[in-house]
Amino acid sequence: MLTHRKMNYGALAAMLALSIGTTVAQTAEATTPTPAAGGQDAQIMLFWFLLSTLALVLMVFVLLFTMIIVRMKPQLRKVYELPTVHDTWSGKVLGLLIGDTRLVTGGYKEEDMGHSYDGITEFDNDLPPWWKYGFYFTIVFAVAYMGYYHVANAGELQIAEYETEMRQAALLVSNEPDDPNKLTTYTALMAPADLSAGKSIYATNCAPCHGANAEGKVGPNLTDEYWLHGGEINQVYKTIKFGVTSKGMVAWKGKLGAKQILQVSSYIESLQGSKPANAKEPQGEKATAGKSIAAK
């Protein structure tokens, strides 16, 4: 009876696999793209079709295997209970198929070691196999990791990987005029008309945070030698244009034109050393000698 069932399930599995294989071959032949009508898209579609078909074949195989195990469970249990099979490694694998988890959880000797304290008794039991297998895996992983990263130097460590990612990110930074990482090369405007326009722009947009005379309120004092973001007129231009979101400085590039930003930047530079009343305490670092205004 057992042999007959084996033959039936084996024949069914063989027929199903042959049928699927024939279908896959025919479909692959029919859908193989030609250089004229195929192209890369057709190749990708074919790849995913074959991958899906392989997954389907594996699912069918697992289903058939499970059905065979379920039907043959009584016969497998009799084989498992044989003394010559029960305690062997292959017998433990067979036991796992019919519900005995000794291969994973291990067995219990129940051998009292003679140590007892506060109602707790020590037994001589082995560690669970799953724990030991996991421990062995960590050893193998550690050796492979050490060899790959520190002996062969085939992989990048954290710092090198970070530097590589930063270089890759730099390649993606825009080179357009609105690139916040690209410093301009302007010089301060000295014409009275430009400074007057800058003063008007400052009074309308900047005075609420920096004070009417740039003495500093919510924002820093713009008339002393100390600056938060370093640089000269172009640094001021950059700070006004792109802002400093983390410190509440808004970006003015969508509200002021390039010339207007340069005018107000030049006006701020002209206020250096004016020492207004009620000036806010210095913030940041002192400007380097020989350099012009730095951005607040």
Short mmCIF file of all heavy atoms in Angstrom, two decimals, residues 253-293:
data_model
loop_
_atom_site.label_atom_id
_atom_site.label_comp_id
_atom_site.label_asym_id
_atom_site.label_seq_id
_atom_site.Cartn_x
_atom_site.Cartn_y
_atom_site.Cartn_z
N LYS A 253 15.05 84.52 -1.16
CA LYS A 253 15.27 84.43 -2.61
C LYS A 253 13.97 84.48 -3.41
O LYS A 253 13.99 84.85 -4.58
CB LYS A 253 16.04 83.15 -2.94
CG LYS A 253 15.30 81.87 -2.62
CD LYS A 253 16.11 80.66 -3.03
CE LYS A 253 15.35 79.36 -2.75
NZ LYS A 253 16.11 78.18 -3.19
N GLY A 254 12.86 84.11 -2.81
CA GLY A 254 11.59 84.16 -3.53
C GLY A 254 10.89 85.50 -3.41
O GLY A 254 9.86 85.73 -4.05
N LYS A 255 11.44 86.41 -2.57
CA LYS A 255 10.78 87.70 -2.33
C LYS A 255 11.63 88.88 -2.80
O LYS A 255 11.09 89.93 -3.13
CB LYS A 255 10.48 87.85 -0.84
CG LYS A 255 9.62 86.71 -0.30
CD LYS A 255 9.47 86.81 1.21
CE LYS A 255 8.69 85.62 1.75
NZ LYS A 255 8.56 85.65 3.22
N LEU A 256 12.94 88.71 -2.80
CA LEU A 256 13.85 89.77 -3.24
C LEU A 256 14.65 89.29 -4.44
O LEU A 256 15.02 88.12 -4.51
CB LEU A 256 14.80 90.16 -2.11
CG LEU A 256 14.17 90.70 -0.82
CD1 LEU A 256 15.25 90.93 0.23
CD2 LEU A 256 13.39 91.99 -1.09
N GLY A 257 14.94 90.20 -5.34
CA GLY A 257 15.77 89.87 -6.47
C GLY A 257 17.24 89.83 -6.09
O GLY A 257 17.63 90.25 -4.98
N ALA A 258 18.08 89.36 -7.01
CA ALA A 258 19.51 89.23 -6.72
C ALA A 258 20.12 90.58 -6.38
O ALA A 258 20.92 90.71 -5.45
CB ALA A 258 20.22 88.60 -7.92
N LYS A 259 19.78 91.63 -7.14
CA LYS A 259 20.35 92.96 -6.87
C LYS A 259 19.87 93.51 -5.54
O LYS A 259 20.63 94.14 -4.80
CB LYS A 259 20.01 93.93 -8.00
CG LYS A 259 20.68 95.27 -7.84
CD LYS A 259 20.47 96.17 -9.05
CE LYS A 259 21.20 97.52 -8.85
NZ LYS A 259 21.04 98.41 -10.01
N GLN A 260 18.60 93.27 -5.21
CA GLN A 260 18.07 93.75 -3.93
C GLN A 260 18.79 93.08 -2.75
O GLN A 260 19.10 93.74 -1.76
CB GLN A 260 16.56 93.47 -3.86
CG GLN A 260 15.73 94.31 -4.79
CD GLN A 260 14.26 93.94 -4.73
OE1 GLN A 260 13.90 92.77 -4.87
NE2 GLN A 260 13.41 94.94 -4.53
N ILE A 261 19.07 91.78 -2.90
CA ILE A 261 19.79 91.07 -1.83
C ILE A 261 21.20 91.63 -1.69
O ILE A 261 21.70 91.83 -0.57
CB ILE A 261 19.84 89.56 -2.12
CG1 ILE A 261 18.42 88.97 -2.09
CG2 ILE A 261 20.71 88.84 -1.09
CD1 ILE A 261 18.36 87.50 -2.46
N LEU A 262 21.85 91.96 -2.81
CA LEU A 262 23.19 92.53 -2.75
C LEU A 262 23.15 93.93 -2.16
O LEU A 262 24.06 94.33 -1.41
CB LEU A 262 23.81 92.55 -4.15
CG LEU A 262 25.26 93.04 -4.24
CD1 LEU A 262 26.17 92.20 -3.34
CD2 LEU A 262 25.75 93.00 -5.68
N GLN A 263 22.11 94.68 -2.46
CA GLN A 263 21.98 96.03 -1.90
C GLN A 263 21.83 96.00 -0.39
O GLN A 263 22.50 96.75 0.33
CB GLN A 263 20.79 96.74 -2.55
CG GLN A 263 21.03 97.17 -3.99
CD GLN A 263 19.77 97.70 -4.65
OE1 GLN A 263 18.65 97.33 -4.30
NE2 GLN A 263 19.97 98.57 -5.66
N VAL A 264 20.96 95.13 0.11
CA VAL A 264 20.77 95.08 1.56
C VAL A 264 22.00 94.49 2.24
O VAL A 264 22.35 94.88 3.37
CB VAL A 264 19.49 94.29 1.92
CG1 VAL A 264 19.65 92.80 1.67
CG2 VAL A 264 19.10 94.53 3.36
N SER A 265 22.70 93.57 1.58
CA SER A 265 23.94 93.03 2.13
C SER A 265 24.98 94.13 2.24
O SER A 265 25.70 94.24 3.25
CB SER A 265 24.47 91.90 1.25
OG SER A 265 23.53 90.84 1.17
N SER A 266 25.08 94.98 1.23
CA SER A 266 26.04 96.08 1.23
C SER A 266 25.67 97.10 2.30
O SER A 266 26.56 97.67 2.97
CB SER A 266 26.08 96.75 -0.15
OG SER A 266 26.44 95.82 -1.15
N TYR A 267 24.39 97.33 2.48
CA TYR A 267 23.96 98.27 3.53
C TYR A 267 24.35 97.75 4.90
O TYR A 267 24.83 98.51 5.76
CB TYR A 267 22.45 98.49 3.43
CG TYR A 267 21.91 99.28 4.60
CD1 TYR A 267 22.17 100.65 4.71
CD2 TYR A 267 21.16 98.66 5.59
CE1 TYR A 267 21.69 101.38 5.80
CE2 TYR A 267 20.68 99.38 6.67
CZ TYR A 267 20.96 100.74 6.78
OH TYR A 267 20.47 101.45 7.87
N ILE A 268 24.16 96.46 5.14
CA ILE A 268 24.53 95.87 6.43
C ILE A 268 26.03 96.02 6.67
O ILE A 268 26.47 96.37 7.77
CB ILE A 268 24.12 94.38 6.47
CG1 ILE A 268 22.59 94.25 6.51
CG2 ILE A 268 24.73 93.68 7.68
CD1 ILE A 268 22.08 92.84 6.38
N GLU A 269 26.84 95.86 5.62
CA GLU A 269 28.28 96.02 5.77
C GLU A 269 28.63 97.46 6.14
O GLU A 269 29.57 97.72 6.91
CB GLU A 269 29.00 95.61 4.49
CG GLU A 269 30.51 95.68 4.61
CD GLU A 269 31.23 95.18 3.38
OE1 GLU A 269 30.53 94.75 2.45
OE2 GLU A 269 32.46 95.20 3.39
N SER A 270 27.86 98.39 5.61
CA SER A 270 28.16 99.80 5.89
C SER A 270 27.88 100.18 7.33
O SER A 270 28.31 101.24 7.80
CB SER A 270 27.32 100.69 4.95
OG SER A 270 25.94 100.67 5.33
N LEU A 271 27.15 99.32 8.05
CA LEU A 271 26.81 99.61 9.44
C LEU A 271 27.86 99.13 10.43
O LEU A 271 27.69 99.30 11.65
CB LEU A 271 25.46 98.97 9.79
CG LEU A 271 24.25 99.49 9.00
CD1 LEU A 271 23.00 98.68 9.39
CD2 LEU A 271 24.02 100.97 9.25
N GLN A 272 28.92 98.51 9.94
CA GLN A 272 29.94 97.96 10.84
C GLN A 272 30.58 99.07 11.68
O GLN A 272 31.01 100.10 11.17
CB GLN A 272 31.01 97.25 10.03
CG GLN A 272 30.50 96.03 9.30
CD GLN A 272 29.76 95.08 10.25
OE1 GLN A 272 30.38 94.45 11.09
NE2 GLN A 272 28.46 95.00 10.11
N GLY A 273 30.60 98.83 13.00
CA GLY A 273 31.22 99.77 13.93
C GLY A 273 30.36 100.97 14.27
O GLY A 273 30.83 101.91 14.90
N SER A 274 29.07 100.96 13.88
CA SER A 274 28.21 102.11 14.17
C SER A 274 27.80 102.19 15.64
O SER A 274 27.39 103.24 16.11
CB SER A 274 26.96 102.06 13.28
OG SER A 274 26.24 100.84 13.51
N LYS A 275 27.90 101.12 16.38
CA LYS A 275 27.63 101.07 17.82
C LYS A 275 26.30 101.73 18.20
O LYS A 275 26.26 102.75 18.89
CB LYS A 275 28.76 101.73 18.59
CG LYS A 275 30.11 101.05 18.40
CD LYS A 275 31.21 101.74 19.18
CE LYS A 275 32.55 101.03 18.97
NZ LYS A 275 33.65 101.69 19.72
N PRO A 276 25.19 101.14 17.76
CA PRO A 276 23.87 101.71 18.12
C PRO A 276 23.56 101.50 19.58
O PRO A 276 24.16 100.68 20.26
CB PRO A 276 22.91 100.93 17.21
CG PRO A 276 23.60 99.62 17.01
CD PRO A 276 25.07 99.93 16.95
N ALA A 277 22.59 102.25 20.07
CA ALA A 277 22.17 102.11 21.47
C ALA A 277 21.46 100.77 21.67
O ALA A 277 20.82 100.25 20.75
CB ALA A 277 21.24 103.26 21.84
N ASN A 278 21.58 100.25 22.88
CA ASN A 278 20.93 98.98 23.26
C ASN A 278 21.35 97.82 22.35
O ASN A 278 20.52 96.96 22.01
CB ASN A 278 19.40 99.14 23.24
CG ASN A 278 18.91 100.22 24.17
OD1 ASN A 278 19.39 100.33 25.30
ND2 ASN A 278 17.97 101.03 23.69
N ALA A 279 22.61 97.81 21.97
CA ALA A 279 23.10 96.75 21.09
C ALA A 279 23.10 95.40 21.81
O ALA A 279 23.45 95.31 22.99
CB ALA A 279 24.50 97.08 20.59
N LYS A 280 22.70 94.39 21.11
CA LYS A 280 22.68 93.04 21.67
C LYS A 280 24.10 92.52 21.85
O LYS A 280 25.02 92.91 21.11
CB LYS A 280 21.90 92.11 20.72
CG LYS A 280 21.52 90.77 21.30
CD LYS A 280 20.63 90.02 20.32
CE LYS A 280 20.21 88.66 20.89
NZ LYS A 280 19.33 87.94 19.93
N GLU A 281 24.30 91.62 22.84
CA GLU A 281 25.63 91.10 23.11
C GLU A 281 26.16 90.34 21.90
O GLU A 281 25.39 89.79 21.12
CB GLU A 281 25.61 90.19 24.34
CG GLU A 281 24.83 88.91 24.19
CD GLU A 281 23.33 89.07 24.41
OE1 GLU A 281 22.88 90.22 24.63
OE2 GLU A 281 22.61 88.05 24.36
N PRO A 282 27.49 90.29 21.76
CA PRO A 282 28.08 89.60 20.60
C PRO A 282 27.69 88.12 20.55
O PRO A 282 27.53 87.47 21.58
CB PRO A 282 29.58 89.77 20.82
CG PRO A 282 29.71 90.98 21.70
CD PRO A 282 28.51 90.93 22.60
N GLN A 283 27.56 87.59 19.36
CA GLN A 283 27.27 86.17 19.12
C GLN A 283 28.19 85.64 18.03
O GLN A 283 28.48 86.33 17.06
CB GLN A 283 25.81 85.98 18.70
CG GLN A 283 24.80 86.32 19.78
CD GLN A 283 23.38 86.21 19.27
OE1 GLN A 283 22.81 87.20 18.81
NE2 GLN A 283 22.82 85.03 19.33
N GLY A 284 28.65 84.40 18.19
CA GLY A 284 29.49 83.77 17.19
C GLY A 284 30.96 84.07 17.39
O GLY A 284 31.43 84.29 18.51
N GLU A 285 31.72 84.12 16.28
CA GLU A 285 33.16 84.30 16.31
C GLU A 285 33.54 85.67 15.74
O GLU A 285 32.86 86.21 14.87
CB GLU A 285 33.86 83.20 15.52
CG GLU A 285 33.61 81.81 16.07
CD GLU A 285 34.32 80.74 15.27
OE1 GLU A 285 34.98 81.11 14.26
OE2 GLU A 285 34.24 79.57 15.64
N LYS A 286 34.68 86.18 16.22
CA LYS A 286 35.16 87.48 15.75
C LYS A 286 35.66 87.35 14.32
O LYS A 286 36.33 86.39 13.96
CB LYS A 286 36.28 87.97 16.66
CG LYS A 286 36.68 89.41 16.40
CD LYS A 286 37.68 89.89 17.43
CE LYS A 286 38.06 91.35 17.20
NZ LYS A 286 39.01 91.85 18.22
N ALA A 287 35.34 88.35 13.52
CA ALA A 287 35.74 88.32 12.11
C ALA A 287 37.25 88.36 11.98
O ALA A 287 37.94 89.03 12.75
CB ALA A 287 35.12 89.49 11.36
N THR A 288 37.80 87.62 10.99
CA THR A 288 39.23 87.59 10.77
C THR A 288 39.72 88.91 10.19
O THR A 288 39.07 89.48 9.30
CB THR A 288 39.60 86.44 9.80
OG1 THR A 288 39.10 85.23 10.35
CG2 THR A 288 41.09 86.34 9.61
N ALA A 289 40.83 89.40 10.68
CA ALA A 289 41.37 90.67 10.20
C ALA A 289 41.64 90.60 8.71
O ALA A 289 42.12 89.60 8.20
CB ALA A 289 42.66 91.01 10.95
N GLY A 290 41.33 91.66 8.02
CA GLY A 290 41.61 91.71 6.58
C GLY A 290 40.44 91.22 5.76
O GLY A 290 40.48 91.30 4.55
N LYS A 291 39.41 90.70 6.43
CA LYS A 291 38.24 90.24 5.69
C LYS A 291 37.08 91.18 5.94
O LYS A 291 36.99 91.84 6.96
CB LYS A 291 37.87 88.82 6.11
CG LYS A 291 38.83 87.78 5.57
CD LYS A 291 38.28 86.39 5.79
CE LYS A 291 39.19 85.35 5.17
NZ LYS A 291 38.67 83.98 5.33
N SER A 292 36.17 91.15 5.03
CA SER A 292 35.01 92.01 5.14
C SER A 292 33.96 91.36 6.01
O SER A 292 34.23 90.37 6.68
CB SER A 292 34.48 92.30 3.72
OG SER A 292 33.52 93.31 3.77
N ILE A 293 32.75 91.86 5.96
CA ILE A 293 31.66 91.39 6.81
C ILE A 293 31.42 89.90 6.68
O ILE A 293 31.51 89.37 5.61
CB ILE A 293 30.37 92.15 6.48
CG1 ILE A 293 29.20 91.65 7.30
CG2 ILE A 293 30.04 92.07 5.04
CD1 ILE A 293 27.94 92.44 7.09
#
